[in-house]
Amino acid sequence: MKLPQSALLERASFDTLLDALRRRGFKVVGPVIQDEAIVYDTVTASADLPVGWTDEQDGGHYRLKRRKDEALFGYAVGPHSWKKYLHPANLKLWDATRDAGAALRFEEGDTEKPPKLAFLGVRSCELRAIAIQDKVFMGSAFTDEHYRKRRERIFTIAVNCGTAGGTCFCVSMKTGPKVTGDVAFDLALTELLEESGHYFLITAGSEAGAEILKELPTRPATPEDLATADAVVDRTAQNMGREMPAEGLPKVLLENLEHPRWDDVAERCLSCANCTMACPTCFCTTVEDTTDLTGDHAERWRRWDSCFTLDFTYMHGGSVQQSARSRYRQWMTHKLATWHEQFGSSGCVGCGRCITWCPVGIDLTEEAAAICTVENSNTATNISEPASRDPSP
Amino acid sequence: MSASLPNTMPGLPAAPLVPEPWQVAARREETADTFTLTLQPTGEAEPMRFQPGQFNMLYAFGTGESAISISGDPSEGSSGLIHTVRRVGYVTSALARLSPGDMVGVRGPFGSAWPMEDARGRDLIFMAGGIGLAPLRPAIYHALNHRADYGRIIILTGARTPEDALYLAEQETWREQDGVEGHLTVDRAETPWTHNVGVVTTLVPKACFDPANAVAMICGPEIMMRYSAMELRKSGLTDNRIYVTMERNMKCAVAFCGHCQLGPEFICKDGPVYRFDRIRFWFSQREF
């Protein structure tokens, strides 16, 4: 297989890509505007995309704004992530029936064949997030069949980011903004808004992607086109909204489990769980058991859960993590430190969702930096003074 | 951390999230709040093979599921799947209402096991606090069934009161066997009591074992396990010869739900049995 193959597709021909996917039985899902935010839902034509829109993001802040052009992908990531398709927020695990003779029968609850979905507009950080959840659900002794059967039917059309969001920090996490060959995708797009026209550089990342690429009305990409596309991503990389302290973060965090900054962040954290719902790698779930009115039919549902809830660690006698301090610490040390030991990478991809969608604007990068810079400093006096939250560019 | 000892999960359940129906064959009251259920498979299902220390998820119809250690004999041909359960919440209270003939859902077995293989040729020290004796009992059965494989067997158990002491009659039959030394203690005794009074750690100096060639297996509240490990260390045991079993909230038992995490550990998959030196750091962190 000769990869990558690249070609140019005019904006005016963009819908031929959607047609090619539909011909193969894929339902295309991607960014659309709903409730004044860019979320993921069904896309039937390029006109469904947030054409000419961008987003303004900061800690606890998200607004849509018009762009001066008609870009299809001129924004960063929104509150949704692709996990809503691969790891549904609600899933029936099984049905149980109690017969007249008191016999008990269990039946698998998630029996439907999942749809063939084409994910349109997957960012580099999001490809990494999917790869991380692959490890969680398919990388250990047990495989989550509910995840696997959805995952194996996905076609991914990635997009190199042309705009950095105000809370993005993929550069410091080494997860973007450019889609690179060490993470799986089928096609990758770079949107080019040049004086010479509005077009896309398309690169195939798989056989299936290459096959579709051949069918599209493309023209060959010149070395200049490739350089122009690289320049777009380079510009994005230079405009990151945030930065995560890079070196030795897992060790620093685990050596500072009693750092006073945890008390400080607990004063601000509402334990609302928004960060974990928006996070593309957070995978925790709980189960809910229900019965119908006859009392002879029970169901078990699995739904997203969050380590920020008091119930999460409940055992006989109470919860292990009673304080907001301990729950924030659990989330952050898991995401940035112990995740390495469990799954061989950070649990953070630098997408910035947890910062944008935190109602009080708690900034993960700022909290990590605070613990790094005043390491082990129980005598520091000014650490409760939050650093500036202005985005850097 | 996949490096945790000892071996995990011999036969992986095919559909680990869907329970199998089992029938209650017998039920026995142990103490005021503790009971033992003996379960039989239904239909064509095979008896469950498990290793000492592993646990099952027991489902009370319409109520919910709890992680319960298996407390019966692990050897092939032993009759029934045995769990000793303490009534502490709504699921275990629902399990407590079951009687012979009733059905429960069972998923498992899950998790790591006591180091019966690595402990061969050594003295064994079992230390239990309260219902902690239940997850240790399969290991004790295994040791007694393979008597020649092990040195001295020391069984140290503690309970709050004489009425709370678990498997009292059975403990006596263990003590009567050659090469088995057993000591019991309670925190307080208001009824006649011929054994010790005090915390379980005070039993360690009474026991006769070779610290250079012994393995300890401890089950009880975390604070009891911590002080027990400290006491054993004083006697000359090293932390890599001490094993403990951990407990956290569990929903899935297969490391998907995240609830049972302790630092990098998924207690359901990497534990519940841990070599003490591998879990010691997290043992002393509050609210983890």
Side-chain angles (χ1 to χ4, degrees):
Chain A
M1 184 168 69
K2 278 196 301 179
L3 291 173
Q5 305 163 30
S6 295
L8 298 180
L9 181 72
E10 289 292 332
R11 159 66 183 96
S13 305
F14 191 84
D15 286 82
T16 59
L17 170 59
L18 303 185
D19 294 339
L21 291 164
R22 267 194 296 271
R23 274 199 303 277
R24 284 171 170 75
F26 286 105
K27 180 184 161 191
V28 181
V29 290
V32 297
I33 293 177
Q34 278 172 17
D35 302 328
E36 296 176 57
I38 294 169
V39 299
Y40 296 143
D41 208 336
T42 306
V43 173
T44 53
S46 61
D48 293 344
L49 298 168
V51 181
W53 287 95
T54 191
D55 48 21
E56 179 183 270
Q57 299 197 34
D58 199 351
H61 177 88
Y62 182 95
R63 294 288 182 278
L64 293 186
K65 289 190 343 192
R66 289 303 304 190
R67 289 173 62 97
K68 293 192 183 76
D69 55 31
E70 296 295 300
L72 304 190
F73 299 100
Y75 39 84
V77 294
H80 285 192
S81 73
W82 304 100
K83 77 177 178 185
K84 75 174 196 170
Y85 296 111
L86 298 173
H87 176 45
N90 273 295
L91 180 90
K92 186 162 76 171
L93 289 178
W94 45 256
D95 290 281
T97 309
R98 187 165 58 183
D99 299 336
L104 205 51
R105 277 185 297 115
F106 293 93
E107 281 163 50
E108 173 64 50
D110 175 36
T111 50
E112 273 175 39
K113 198 170 171 183
K116 277 174 76 175
L117 294 180
F119 290 175
L120 173 63
V122 186
R123 306 307 175 120
S124 175
C125 61
E126 298 185 303
L127 289 176
R128 304 275 171 180
I130 292 169
I132 285 172
Q133 288 213 327
D134 286 351
K135 278 198 176 168
V136 172
F137 292 119
M138 306 194 295
S140 77
F142 289 100
T143 293
D144 183 34
E145 291 299 324
H146 309 289
Y147 182 89
R148 189 191 56 78
K149 73 177 188 180
R150 287 169 174 78
R151 178 71 176 93
E152 67 185 15
R153 291 166 71 80
I154 301 302
F155 186 94
T156 44
I157 304 111
V159 172
N160 285 305
C161 289
T163 305
T167 56
C168 288
F169 55 100
C170 62
V171 169
S172 54
M173 297 307 299
K174 300 187 174 67
T175 52
K178 188 176 170 59
V179 174
T180 49
D182 55 339
V183 62
F185 64 93
D186 294 302
L187 288 171
L189 310 176
T190 308
E191 185 165 31
L192 300 164
L193 297 140
E194 302 297 308
E195 281 175 11
S196 57
H198 183 183
Y199 52 100
F200 293 86
L201 177 73
I202 305 193
T203 305
S206 72
E207 294 276 17
E211 222 175 89
I212 286 189
L213 183 52
K214 268 189 281 181
E215 286 176 21
L216 305 181
T218 58
R219 60 190 158 90
T222 64
E224 290 75 41
D225 294 321
L226 299 179
T228 309
D230 278 343
V232 167
V233 196
D234 287 346
R235 199 170 56 233
T236 307
Q238 282 154 23
N239 284 295
M240 285 286 114
R242 298 286 197 279
E243 187 182 358
M244 181 66 87
E247 289 309 309
L249 187 56
K251 187 164 179 287
V252 172
L253 291 175
L254 295 184
E255 285 173 355
N256 286 281
L257 296 176
E258 298 303 323
H259 196 287
R261 185 71 181 197
W262 301 117
D263 295 306
D264 180 83
V265 71
E267 288 290 312
R268 289 170 278 137
C269 176
L270 306 176
S271 280
C272 73
N274 256 19
C275 50
T276 52
M277 298 293 111
C279 177
T281 69
C282 272
F283 57 86
C284 289
T285 53
T286 188
V287 289
E288 280 174 354
D289 290 314
T290 62
T291 42
D292 66 7
L293 288 174
T294 68
D296 289 329
H297 177 242
E299 293 178 355
R300 164 161 293 188
W301 286 77
R302 174 166 91 175
R303 65 164 175 78
W304 288 355
D305 199 6
S306 171
C307 54
F308 279 91
T309 69
L310 191 54
D311 275 355
F312 194 80
T313 55
Y314 183 82
M315 292 201 296
H316 51 85
S319 294
V320 176
Q321 287 162 3
Q322 302 252 345
S323 65
R325 171 189 183 275
S326 71
R327 299 199 292 275
Y328 188 88
R329 186 181 63 172
Q330 166 64 35
W331 179 66
M332 186 162 146
T333 56
H334 183 216
K335 191 71 50 186
L336 301 176
T338 53
W339 205 293
H340 287 272
E341 290 177 59
Q342 294 174 335
F343 303 113
S345 75
S346 173
C348 175
V349 296
C351 71
R353 285 181 179 89
C354 60
I355 305 171
T356 300
W357 298 97
C358 175
V360 295
I362 294 172
D363 181 341
L364 183 70
T365 64
E366 185 187 317
E367 298 310 317
I371 286 171
C372 286
T373 51
V374 281
E375 193 180 339
N376 279 326
S377 165
N378 292 317
T379 53
T381 50
N382 62 345
I383 50 158
S384 59
E385 190 71 27
S388 162
R389 297 231 178 85
D390 291 339
S392 49
Chain B
M1 253 198 296
S2 53
S4 303
L5 283 180
N7 49 354
T8 55
M9 296 179 278
L12 303 180
L17 299 179
V18 182
E20 297 286 338
W22 287 62
Q23 190 163 41
V24 178
R27 183 210 150 88
R28 178 191 152 90
E29 300 303 314
E30 302 287 357
T31 69
D33 62 0
T34 304
F35 57 97
T36 295
L37 296 177
T38 303
L39 306 177
Q40 298 289 357
T42 55
E44 306 291 296
E46 296 280 313
M48 183 182 288
R49 299 297 316 277
F50 67 95
Q51 298 183 68
Q54 291 194 297
F55 68 94
N56 282 318
M57 298 299 287
L58 297 191
Y59 169 67
F61 182 82
T63 304
E65 229 176 17
S66 262
I68 308 286
S69 288
I70 307 169
S71 52
D73 189 337
S75 57
E76 210 167 347
S78 68
S79 68
L81 179 63
I82 294 175
H83 299 82
T84 295
V85 186
R86 190 155 71 96
R87 206 177 59 240
V88 285
Y90 60 95
V91 174
T92 47
S93 294
L95 292 172
R97 288 191 290 272
L98 296 174
S99 37
D102 288 342
M103 304 287 287
V104 289
V106 178
R107 296 193 289 130
F110 297 114
S112 61
W114 296 112
M116 303 317 294
E117 207 49 45
D118 294 350
R120 280 160 73 105
R122 302 185 197 278
D123 290 351
L124 303 181
I125 305 159
F126 297 101
M127 285 185 78
I131 194 165
L133 186 54
L136 277 174
R137 193 167 68 166
I140 295 172
Y141 285 144
H142 179 94
L144 296 174
N145 292 341
H146 302 81
R147 193 64 198 85
D149 289 349
Y150 304 100
R152 283 167 284 205
I153 295 177
I154 318 287
I155 303 170
L156 310 177
T157 64
R160 276 169 298 180
T161 69
E163 292 72 31
D164 294 313
L166 197 60
Y167 310 144
L168 260 186
E170 192 171 16
Q171 287 195 55
E172 198 170 324
T173 65
W174 295 338
R175 281 196 305 278
E176 283 165 1
Q177 302 194 33
D178 285 342
V180 179
E181 180 184 349
H183 299 284
L184 284 73
T185 187
V186 293
D187 294 340
R188 57 184 190 279
E190 283 157 14
T191 47
W193 175 249
T194 54
H195 301 282
N196 304 279
V197 176
V199 292
V200 71
T201 50
T202 60
L203 300 180
V204 173
K206 295 179 192 290
C208 180
F209 56 89
D210 175 8
N213 191 33
V215 168
M217 305 180 206
I218 316 174
C219 184
E222 277 177 41
I223 187 153
M224 170 269 176
M225 293 195 285
R226 183 140 52 110
Y227 281 97
S228 298
M230 278 167 55
E231 196 62 34
L232 289 165
R233 223 179 293 158
K234 275 192 231 162
S235 301
L237 238 68
T238 49
D239 284 356
N240 60 357
R241 291 279 174 74
I242 299 173
Y243 291 78
V244 296
T245 182
M246 303 299 295
E247 188 179 14
R248 284 292 180 274
N249 183 310
M250 286 183 193
K251 300 293 185 196
C252 75
V254 289
F256 299 154
C257 80
H259 281 251
C260 70
Q261 289 177 93
L262 173 60
E265 305 295 329
F266 289 96
I267 302 281
C268 67
K269 171 174 73 82
D270 308 321
V273 175
Y274 286 96
R275 211 172 80 181
F276 189 61
D277 56 334
R278 299 186 179 213
I279 198 81
R280 187 176 49 205
F281 173 79
W282 294 101
F283 228 78
S284 53
Q285 306 301 330
R286 279 174 33 214
E287 287 196 280
F288 262 103

